[in-house]
């Protein structure tokens, strides 16, 4: 249902390009999901509808079209990023890792900014074969001191940053607090990235084109920020807290665009879609997510497409909010 609502709000899926481009990537990603859908078609015909060839083939085509619809937009840009420095938070897995892999493929120098250095080093070994260069730096967004330390390292090494991707996040978890006592979702998803972005801005004002991409969510439409209770301590609701952190991402991007007007920096907030990743571990049992709910979700590579699009071909729009590789609605 969430994916359907998303696609209704973002009508770019009605374009011809949406259904004509990227089929090679789609089929390489969708083997499991398409197999499940086709299996359902055959079961339906075996138990109820009978095996009329035309009817079976029609329903298989509908099944594949449905998965193409749910998979969302695909970035078809061939733009190279040779020599550019890309910082990606939370890049040791999920959407972040797939984004890092793509950036490396384009020749960028990628910095994996991660809390778990061991996992990040493992991701580095997997990614660096794609080309470009990869390095790992410690960044724990739930600690503002860690954010300051990370930024200080980038500044002291005089690294010019061309693309900053605020990707890391937590979703709908039980009440926890950051090192400084902020609710963990607001602290990690927004406040940590807010500080990181502001500290790195001097490294992005170097005269060359630069981009800041913050991952938000369609869930921002449910956000209701109470500046007197950002921690939601009065009555903690993990879903509401997540929505609040996501609308904060959108509002931050809008304000940042005003501040950076006339500079070399473009800013974007991104709705990646409903993605099968570890981010949803607090929402449902793992086996349900792994074998059932996943057929309604994007793969991590599909979920990374809008981020990749905003890092390459997208142009800052008055709304600055993108979904499925096109301007969205916030």
């Amino acid at each position: 249902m969430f994916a359907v609502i998303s696609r209704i709000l973002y009508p770019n899926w009605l374009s011809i390009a949406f259904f004509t481009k990227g089929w090679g990537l789609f089929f390489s990603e969708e083997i499991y999901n398409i197999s499940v859908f086709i299996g359902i078609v055959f079961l339906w015909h075996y138990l109820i509808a009978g095996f009329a060839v035309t009817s079976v083939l029609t329903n298989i085509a509908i099944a594949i079209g449905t998965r193409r619809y749910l998979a969302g937009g695909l970035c078809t840009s061939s733009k190279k990023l040779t020599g550019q420095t890309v910082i990606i938070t939370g890049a040791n897995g999920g959407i972040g890792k797939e984004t890092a892999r793509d950036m490396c493929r384009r020749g960028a120098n990628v910095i994996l900014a991660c809390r778990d250095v061991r996992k990040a080093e493992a991701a580095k070994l997997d990614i660096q074969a794609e080309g470009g260069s990869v390095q790992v730096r410690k960044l724990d967004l739930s600690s503002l001191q860690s954010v300051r330390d990370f930024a200080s390292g980038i500044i002291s090494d005089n690294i010019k940053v061309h693309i900053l991707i605020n990707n890391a996040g937590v979703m709908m978890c039980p009440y926890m607090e950051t090192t400084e006592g902020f609710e963990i979702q607001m602290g990690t998803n927004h406040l940590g990235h807010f500080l990181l972005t502001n500290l790195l801005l001097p490294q992005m004002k170097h005269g060359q084109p630069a981009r800041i991409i913050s991952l938000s969510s369609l869930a921002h439409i449910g956000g209701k920020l109470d500046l007197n209770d950002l921690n939601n301590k009065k009555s903690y609701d993990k879903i509401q807290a997540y929505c609040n952190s996501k609308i904060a991402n959108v509002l931050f991007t809008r304000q940042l665009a005003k501040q950076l007007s006339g500079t070399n920096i473009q800013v974007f907030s991104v709705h990646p879609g409903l993605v099968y990743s570890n981010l949803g571990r607090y929402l449902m049992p793992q086996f349900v997510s792994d074998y059932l709910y996943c057929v309604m979700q994007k793969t991590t590579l599909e979920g990374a497409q809008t981020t990749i699009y905003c890092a390459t071909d997208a142009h800052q729009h008055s709304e600055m909010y993108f979904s499925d590789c096109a301007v969205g609605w916030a």
Side-chain angles (χ1 to χ4, degrees):
M1 179 60 70
F2 196 82
V4 172
I5 292 173
S6 170
R7 212 53 46 78
I8 291 171
L9 291 176
Y10 309 116
N12 58 294
W13 66 273
L14 293 172
S15 69
I16 294 174
F18 188 93
F19 284 101
T20 57
K21 294 184 177 181
W23 282 97
L25 173 62
F26 169 73
F27 280 114
S28 68
E29 282 292 290
E30 291 285 340
I31 294 173
Y32 174 79
N33 292 330
I34 290 175
S35 297
V36 171
F37 271 55
I38 291 177
I40 293 172
V41 168
F42 276 105
L43 186 62
W44 164 262
H45 282 277
Y46 176 74
L47 295 176
I48 297 173
F51 278 99
V53 174
T54 303
S55 179
V56 171
L57 293 178
T58 298
N59 285 331
I60 288 176
I62 291 172
I64 293 174
T66 300
R67 266 313 307 175
R68 179 66 191 89
Y69 169 82
L70 294 173
L74 298 173
C75 178
T76 57
S77 170
S78 58
K79 181 178 179 180
K80 289 293 184 181
L81 301 173
T82 306
Q84 294 192 28
T85 296
V86 181
I87 296 177
I88 309 174
T89 66
N92 59 278
I95 295 175
K97 183 179 177 182
E98 293 299 339
T99 303
R101 191 192 307 279
D102 185 274
M103 298 294 102
C104 281
R105 220 174 261 142
R106 296 172 190 271
N109 303 315
V110 179
I111 297 176
L112 310 182
C114 302
R115 178 172 56 89
D116 191 325
V117 173
R118 181 183 59 81
K119 288 183 179 180
E121 290 289 353
K124 172 184 173 180
L125 292 176
D126 186 28
I127 292 168
Q128 63 186 3
E130 302 291 344
S133 68
V134 188
Q135 63 172 284
V136 172
R137 295 199 179 206
K138 171 81 172 180
L139 173 63
D140 183 355
L141 288 159
S142 67
S143 165
L144 298 185
Q145 186 57 54
S146 176
V147 174
R148 292 187 181 96
D149 291 342
F150 175 86
S152 293
I154 298 295
I155 294 168
S156 64
D157 291 341
N158 195 28
I159 297 174
K160 292 180 180 179
V161 180
H162 298 85
I163 302 173
L164 171 62
I165 301 176
N166 294 321
N167 165 82
V170 290
M171 184 171 75
M172 302 180 189
C173 54
Y175 186 84
M176 294 181 276
E177 293 184 349
T178 67
T179 303
E180 289 77 19
F182 297 107
E183 188 272 321
I184 193 73
Q185 295 187 84
M186 181 62 72
T188 300
N189 297 350
H190 172 61
L191 295 176
H193 282 131
F194 172 88
L195 178 60
L196 175 67
T197 301
N198 279 282
L199 291 176
L200 291 181
L201 277 179
Q203 303 306 115
M204 304 190 77
K205 295 177 179 179
H206 40 60
Q208 299 174 26
R211 295 168 182 251
I212 299 170
I213 302 159
S214 296
L215 268 71
S216 181
S217 168
L218 178 65
H220 79 273
I221 63 176
K224 297 178 181 179
L225 288 177
D226 180 356
L227 298 183
N228 295 314
D229 184 30
L230 279 180
N231 283 346
N232 292 280
K233 280 190 172 181
K234 293 177 182 177
S235 56
Y236 182 69
D237 181 328
K238 64 182 182 181
I239 298 176
Q240 186 64 57
Y242 179 72
C243 295
N244 292 351
S245 72
K246 295 292 103 178
I247 197 172
N249 295 147
V250 173
L251 296 175
F252 174 46
T253 299
R254 286 180 178 173
Q255 181 60 24
L256 199 57
K258 294 178 183 178
Q259 289 179 221
L260 297 174
S261 178
T263 71
N264 60 304
I265 305 174
Q266 294 189 77
V267 297
F268 307 88
S269 56
V270 168
H271 168 52
L274 190 62
V275 182
Y276 170 58
S277 72
N278 195 41
L279 192 63
R281 60 188 177 277
Y282 295 108
L283 292 178
M284 64 188 71
Q286 191 67 40
F287 76 91
V288 175
S289 176
D290 285 349
Y291 299 106
L292 299 177
Y293 197 47
C294 66
V295 300
M296 302 301 292
Q297 298 172 301
K298 295 182 180 183
T299 67
T300 51
L301 180 56
E302 291 166 348
Q305 294 302 301
T306 305
T307 302
I308 295 167
Y309 175 67
C310 288
T312 54
D313 276 1
H315 295 285
Q316 183 179 307
H317 185 267
S318 58
E319 185 53 75
M320 296 152 288
Y321 183 81
F322 282 71
S323 173
D324 281 333
C325 301
V327 177
W329 174 84

